[in-house]
Amino acid sequence: MLSGMSETTEKSSSDVPIGPSSNEDNERNRPDGEALSLPSFVAGSGTLDRLVDTARDYARAAASDNTLKAYAKDWAHFARWCRMKGAEPLPPSPEMIGLYLADLASGSGPSPSQSASRPLSVSTIDRRLSGLAWNYAQRGFFLDRKNRHIATVLAGIKRKHARPPVQKEAILAEDILAMVATLPFDLRGLRDRAILLLGYAGGLRRSEIVSLDVHKDDTPDSGGWIEIFEKGALLTLNAKTGWRGVEIGRGSKDQTCPVHALEQWLHFAKIDFGPVFVGTSRDGKRASETRLNDKHVARLIKRTVLDAGIRSELPEKERLALFSGHSLRAGLASSAEVDERYVQKQLGHASAEMTRRYQRRRDRFRVNLTKAAGL
């Protein structure tokens, strides 16, 4: 029915290749921050060496694990492409990168990993270029994205191939209720129910959900913590835009209340320290100490969408493609009948325009400028 959606409790590590060498093995395995080292004119000491290690740790924390993994794949792909063309990835050549972007857009030749390549979307090409710029910076080089060999090719790609963004379907109130109704009441079901309801009511990203700890500073990889009060729960999150607080009030009934679901999970799983959402034993009766991977949230959403029969008029493959972790955030933005600024604050958006991108149903003509202009 649903392949590849079994539960996993492993948290992937990211090995981003950083360093001055163009050797493929070194590029693939070189750890984050290896380019950070003592200046040649400074004598080494135990204290300074420890500071180098500390600086490398901070360098790794400059971007999320998912971003670092994506940048690592971007560099590996580009390095293989260069070797297939008889070129070297270092130092940066704007001319070669312009050709690389054109190849990605046209799918004109075989890719490093496929017998036949396919054209990539404009957003993916733009992300690949950002990944290359980041990787070059870690190696001590500067990639000028405004260079004419890069900028004009990219502008032409955008003009010729750009398409409106494909948005994931919003999970609305009736959908989330149907989804949680498919879950059992064993330990795993309690956990997954809390994940769905908390993610929906908080408008949370899947990474924000799984990064929560019970208390502040419980674990080094924490992305925030929870505080439960009589009227609701306060989540303090280290999100994309910095630290922010997300207030989640109690629902009208226990069966669908996100705070009650969270309390039930913590109580029966006997979790009072460390990660909030962890794996369970195969029989679903014991909680482990291993933090869930954010991919679990995506798999959970897709599985419960199918089990609940949402958009059942469509083939299974199309239904699965419609929903993702972003569907929870889009659902809150589309369903909450409150002033837009409160939704914007809950989602942590810097602008109302970004919030509106998440709203799949709203009165788009509430403000009628035509009439306001006297027509």
Side-chain angles (χ1 to χ4, degrees):
M1 175 72 173
L2 194 57
S3 60
M5 291 190 184
S6 59
E7 177 183 6
T8 179
T9 60
E10 296 178 1
K11 182 173 179 64
S12 301
S13 62
S14 68
D15 295 327
V16 178
I18 297 176
S21 173
S22 63
N23 178 271
E24 183 173 8
D25 291 335
N26 287 342
E27 288 166 353
R28 185 183 297 115
N29 300 321
R30 192 177 299 275
D32 300 346
E34 188 165 328
L36 295 173
S37 58
L38 288 174
S40 58
F41 56 84
V42 176
S45 69
T47 301
L48 289 177
D49 288 339
R50 285 193 294 272
L51 283 176
V52 170
D53 291 338
T54 301
R56 287 174 180 164
D57 289 340
Y58 282 127
R60 294 186 189 102
S64 71
D65 284 348
N66 287 340
T67 299
L68 294 176
K69 284 186 283 188
Y71 285 171
K73 291 179 180 178
D74 293 339
W75 180 259
H77 186 277
F78 175 65
R80 288 194 296 271
W81 182 88
C82 285
R83 276 184 286 276
M84 289 181 66
K85 305 301 181 184
E88 289 294 331
L90 293 172
S93 165
E95 294 86 351
M96 283 301 297
I97 292 173
L99 295 177
Y100 174 65
L101 299 180
D103 201 3
L104 295 179
S106 64
S108 57
S111 78
S113 59
Q114 298 173 328
S115 57
S117 62
R118 57 182 178 82
L120 298 184
S121 68
V122 171
S123 60
T124 300
I125 293 172
D126 217 3
R127 209 288 317 285
R128 287 269 177 95
L129 183 58
S130 295
L132 294 185
W134 186 90
N135 276 283
Y136 275 123
Q138 306 314 302
R139 291 166 169 78
F141 296 99
F142 171 68
L143 177 62
D144 183 9
R145 296 183 56 161
K146 295 182 179 180
N147 182 285
R148 63 186 180 89
H149 294 286
I150 298 174
T152 54
V153 171
L154 186 60
I157 291 171
K158 290 181 176 180
R159 184 177 179 84
K160 188 173 182 179
H161 298 296
R163 297 289 185 273
V166 177
Q167 294 182 319
K168 294 297 181 181
E169 192 92 349
I171 292 174
L172 304 178
E174 57 269 25
D175 299 327
I176 199 72
L177 295 179
M179 290 163 65
V180 298
T182 68
L183 297 171
F185 285 90
D186 60 2
L187 203 56
R188 186 177 300 165
L190 291 177
R191 180 202 63 197
D192 290 346
R193 186 174 283 101
I195 287 175
L196 290 176
L197 291 174
L198 202 70
Y200 180 80
L204 305 178
R205 300 176 179 90
R206 64 187 193 182
S207 59
E208 293 171 342
I209 297 172
V210 299
S211 68
L212 285 169
D213 276 2
V214 178
H215 308 105
K216 182 181 179 181
D217 299 328
D218 274 358
T219 63
D221 60 340
S222 169
W225 67 92
I226 61 173
E227 297 172 84
I228 298 178
F229 303 97
E230 181 181 352
K231 293 186 177 181
L234 173 64
L235 313 184
T236 303
L237 302 171
N238 187 9
K240 281 186 175 182
T241 54
W243 286 99
R244 67 187 178 97
V246 174
E247 301 166 355
I248 300 179
R250 292 187 182 273
S252 55
K253 50 186 177 181
D254 286 348
Q255 293 91 324
T256 57
C257 172
V259 182
H260 180 75
L262 177 62
E263 290 173 323
Q264 291 285 293
W265 158 245
L266 294 176
H267 172 73
F268 287 104
K270 300 178 181 178
I271 295 175
D272 56 10
F273 182 85
V276 171
F277 294 113
V278 296
T280 62
S281 58
R282 286 185 177 275
D283 59 10
K285 294 181 180 179
R286 290 180 292 103
S288 72
E289 296 180 355
T290 306
R291 187 187 303 277
L292 283 179
N293 188 292
D294 65 349
K295 291 182 177 63
H296 172 79
V297 180
R299 286 192 295 267
L300 172 62
I301 289 171
K302 291 177 182 292
R303 172 165 55 83
T304 52
V305 160
L306 288 183
D307 292 346
I310 297 170
R311 299 300 303 271
S312 58
E313 75 279 6
L314 299 175
E316 180 178 306
K317 185 176 180 180
E318 291 185 28
R319 294 166 66 194
L320 291 176
L322 281 176
F323 296 93
S324 73
H326 267 73
S327 296
L328 294 177
R329 288 167 64 77
L332 176 73
S334 302
S335 299
E337 297 181 357
V338 295
D339 192 294
E340 190 176 72
R341 67 179 184 273
Y342 296 114
V343 178
Q344 178 184 340
K345 179 178 182 296
Q346 189 82 334
L347 297 181
H349 288 155
S351 67
E353 180 59 34
M354 178 58 72
T355 301
R356 293 187 189 112
R357 295 183 190 177
Y358 282 76
Q359 294 173 332
R360 305 295 187 262
R361 62 178 191 188
R362 64 185 176 90
D363 184 0
R364 297 180 179 274
F365 303 100
R366 180 174 57 87
V367 177
N368 191 326
L369 293 180
T370 305
K371 289 182 178 180
L375 298 180

